[in-house]
Amino acid sequence: MTRRETIKVGLVDDDPLFLEHVSNLLNLQTDLTVMRFASARNLVAELERQPVDCLVIDYDLGADNGLNIRDTLRAQLPALPPLIMITGGGSERTAVKAFRGGFVDYVSKRNFNIGELIDAIRRAVAQNAPPAPGAAAGTHDGRTDALTGLYNPVFMQERLRQLVGDPWINNFTIIGIAIQRLPEIRAGLGFLNTERVCTDFAKRLKLASRGSEIAGSIGGDRWLVLIDTKITQEKLQATCDHLTAQLRFRLQFDEIYVELVPELTVSTYPLHGDSVETLLARTFPRPILPAPSSVPAEAHLLRETSRMPEPAVADVAPESVGPAVSEHSEQRRERRQRVIKQAELIFGEGKMAILCRVGDISSAGARLRLDTWVAAPEKFRMQILGTGVVRHAVTRWQRGLNVGIEFVDDPA
């Protein structure tokens, strides 16, 4: 399909009023035409007769749901168009199920915005379109890596600078991605095998990224997912959950397996920085370089007979295993006591707060688990809810949702 052709959209919804209303709004767009389906009955036959470029499916269809319809279509159609889910529930769990099930985007009926759906349709179709005649496969005018399909560091830096310099852009989000304990994996496998690890990881990231996301390398075995449109906290959480699930896998080298675990950090412009350099420094607080560790390189290489461990709920390394890459700078003076309490991190002159759980604590600091995927503030006031305890603290390290903090004196 070329850019000048009309995009054929299939809309499946059992609410006749919503179906008619949304169809009429979509048909007002000169590049969109809509086929309506009040149920999944005869959907396969109709799509075989009149293929569409994008299929928008309601999650709740009475006795059926959008995920089951996806499975039916996948089994009976030779090629699926991009799928977008819409739902009135708007739950985070539904969004995660949709993304894991192969839907490229998710739009909530709650506070429904037709512009959001139109953008999602156009992005999905553009991403699914074949390359223009004469274009080299796997390239975007030299902007992507031919091996992984990801955008290269030059393009990612250029795009970030464009966004920061655009006076009309007031918000965008970046998700920084690295491989946990990569220096130790490199020490155990060697340079060439580690290159294969990083290449396979990057290919997985390309497959895991969806329509509105710009996935690319930032150099130094680090990657970014750039979301240059406004995103709700609910969808951001679902995106991070999706990436974490898709990027955790194992590779085999002869009789040795290596388990790869992604490390994600979220930063938002301009909350966490008003320049490219500040945002990247916040997202990647230290170079990912080999560093001394009490953990032998073989600790992350699993023999063929070993069982792949289940992901830990808190994704925190036990004390006996040694510090993770993100925790090298933490020098603990006393053993922490294990507690689980709800707390608030208050910052920005008291105008902003982040909810978290205090996993363990000592007189010098604590280990926290954030409730949402955000970058922890550098300095803040921690208030343990229901206790009256308030401590001033600074962030020492962050690995995904897990944060290590040090208590400091009241700056006042």
Side-chain angles (χ1 to χ4, degrees), residues 170-231:
N170 55 23
N171 181 272
F172 65 85
T173 300
I174 59 175
I175 303 173
I177 303 173
I179 301 173
Q180 288 186 19
R181 302 184 185 271
L182 184 61
E184 294 152 13
I185 293 173
R186 181 179 283 112
L189 293 179
F191 176 79
L192 292 180
N193 283 334
T194 305
E195 286 294 292
R196 176 190 158 190
V197 166
C198 293
T199 298
D200 284 7
F201 188 87
K203 289 179 179 178
R204 285 236 176 182
L205 175 58
K206 173 61 178 176
L207 293 174
S209 60
R210 297 182 300 272
S212 59
E213 301 163 3
I214 302 173
S217 169
I218 203 66
D221 298 326
R222 296 173 293 184
W223 299 268
L224 275 184
V225 171
L226 169 61
I227 304 172
D228 57 3
T229 58
K230 289 185 178 180
I231 185 171

Side-chain angles (χ1 to χ4, degrees), residues 22-235:
V22 174
S23 296
N24 290 338
L25 291 175
L26 293 176
N27 280 323
L28 290 175
Q29 306 297 310
T30 57
D31 61 335
L32 301 180
T33 182
V34 180
M35 292 174 58
R36 304 180 190 179
F37 301 94
S39 71
R41 185 181 304 171
N42 300 325
L43 180 60
V44 172
E46 286 296 321
L47 292 179
E48 286 178 337
R49 189 171 61 88
Q50 297 184 65
V52 296
D53 301 307
C54 182
L55 195 56
V56 181
I57 305 175
D58 186 18
Y59 175 75
D60 187 0
L61 292 168
D64 214 339
N65 65 60
L67 295 174
N68 291 338
I69 292 174
R70 181 281 321 273
D71 292 339
T72 301
L73 294 174
R74 179 175 289 173
Q76 299 188 41
L77 292 178
L80 270 184
L83 304 177
I84 296 173
M85 178 174 285
I86 54 173
T87 177
S91 72
E92 175 187 314
R93 180 173 297 181
T94 303
V96 173
K97 286 182 179 178
F99 290 141
R100 289 180 177 174
F103 284 77
V104 299
D105 219 327
Y106 171 93
V107 177
S108 176
K109 289 183 179 179
R110 190 180 301 171
N111 299 321
F112 179 73
N113 184 330
I114 188 62
E116 183 180 357
L117 178 59
I118 291 170
D119 289 344
I121 291 170
R122 288 172 176 161
R123 284 194 303 267
V125 173
Q127 187 181 46
N128 194 56
T139 64
H140 286 272
D141 300 325
R143 298 180 296 176
T144 60
D145 181 276
L147 187 60
T148 65
L150 292 177
Y151 286 101
N152 60 38
V154 173
F155 173 81
M156 296 300 291
Q157 292 264 5
E158 178 186 352
R159 182 59 184 144
L160 285 172
R161 296 191 189 284
Q162 288 173 350
L163 291 172
V164 170
D166 190 335
W168 295 101
I169 300 294
N170 55 23
N171 181 272
F172 65 85
T173 300
I174 59 175
I175 303 173
I177 303 173
I179 301 173
Q180 288 186 19
R181 302 184 185 271
L182 184 61
E184 294 152 13
I185 293 173
R186 181 179 283 112
L189 293 179
F191 176 79
L192 292 180
N193 283 334
T194 305
E195 286 294 292
R196 176 190 158 190
V197 166
C198 293
T199 298
D200 284 7
F201 188 87
K203 289 179 179 178
R204 285 236 176 182
L205 175 58
K206 173 61 178 176
L207 293 174
S209 60
R210 297 182 300 272
S212 59
E213 301 163 3
I214 302 173
S217 169
I218 203 66
D221 298 326
R222 296 173 293 184
W223 299 268
L224 275 184
V225 171
L226 169 61
I227 304 172
D228 57 3
T229 58
K230 289 185 178 180
I231 185 171
T232 65
Q233 190 62 52
E234 177 186 61
K235 289 188 71 172

Side-chain angles (χ1 to χ4, degrees), residues 92 95-96 99 233-243:
E92 175 187 314
V96 173
F99 290 141
Q233 190 62 52
E234 177 186 61
K235 289 188 71 172
L236 179 58
Q237 178 74 54
T239 297
C240 290
D241 289 343
H242 168 75
L243 290 171

Side-chain angles (χ1 to χ4, degrees), residues 231-309:
I231 185 171
T232 65
Q233 190 62 52
E234 177 186 61
K235 289 188 71 172
L236 179 58
Q237 178 74 54
T239 297
C240 290
D241 289 343
H242 168 75
L243 290 171
T244 300
Q246 296 298 313
L247 296 177
R248 181 165 187 151
F249 63 102
R250 283 167 55 172
L251 284 175
Q252 182 177 0
F253 296 87
D254 296 325
E255 295 183 353
I256 295 177
Y257 288 100
V258 57
E259 180 190 4
L260 301 183
V261 181
E263 179 176 321
L264 274 62
T265 304
V266 176
S267 297
T268 301
Y269 170 88
L271 177 62
H272 298 120
D274 56 4
S275 70
V276 175
E277 291 73 20
T278 305
L279 283 171
L280 292 180
R282 183 67 176 169
T283 307
F284 301 103
R286 59 183 59 85
I288 304 176
L289 298 173
S293 172
S294 59
V295 185
E298 292 79 6
H300 306 287
L301 306 181
L302 310 174
R303 293 294 171 185
E304 189 172 15
T305 56
S306 64
R307 179 177 179 272
M308 182 177 182

